[in-house]
Amino acid sequence: MIRSFGLIAFIGVSLMAAPSYAQTFDPRYPVCMHVYSGANGGGGEWYDCSFTSLPQCRATASGRAATCDLNPYYPFNAAPPRPRHWQSG
């Protein structure tokens, strides 16, 4: 019984010590460019979330193996805040 508990505890500690990865999307910018660089370009792909508009991202991605997408972690506001109307009197 004690060996079983020790084995379970060891597995649990091993799983918690797994490496963690940084967040892929920067929540400060609304548009991300997904860059694909296959075997010829050094391998891998990544996201560059440093664009404020789709046209800006598309101009940068032009001629490259890349696409522009809306950032899923950017806090888009569905509706602008309503103006306050003060009543006098």
Side-chain angles (χ1 to χ4, degrees), residues 33 35 51 54-68:
M33 179 173 62
V35 181
F51 301 98
L54 280 170
Q56 178 191 27
C57 178
R58 288 181 182 141
T60 305
S62 178
R64 301 172 71 181
T67 59
C68 295

Side-chain angles (χ1 to χ4, degrees), residues 49-89:
C49 295
S50 61
F51 301 98
T52 57
S53 68
L54 280 170
Q56 178 191 27
C57 178
R58 288 181 182 141
T60 305
S62 178
R64 301 172 71 181
T67 59
C68 295
D69 301 312
L70 293 178
N71 186 347
Y73 295 100
Y74 183 76
F76 289 102
N77 292 333
R82 292 178 18 167
R84 297 179 126 181
H85 296 288
W86 297 97
Q87 294 180 347
S88 60

Side-chain angles (χ1 to χ4, degrees), residues 4-19:
S4 298
F5 178 73
L7 180 63
I8 292 172
F10 176 75
I11 291 172
V13 169
S14 297
L15 291 175
M16 288 190 318

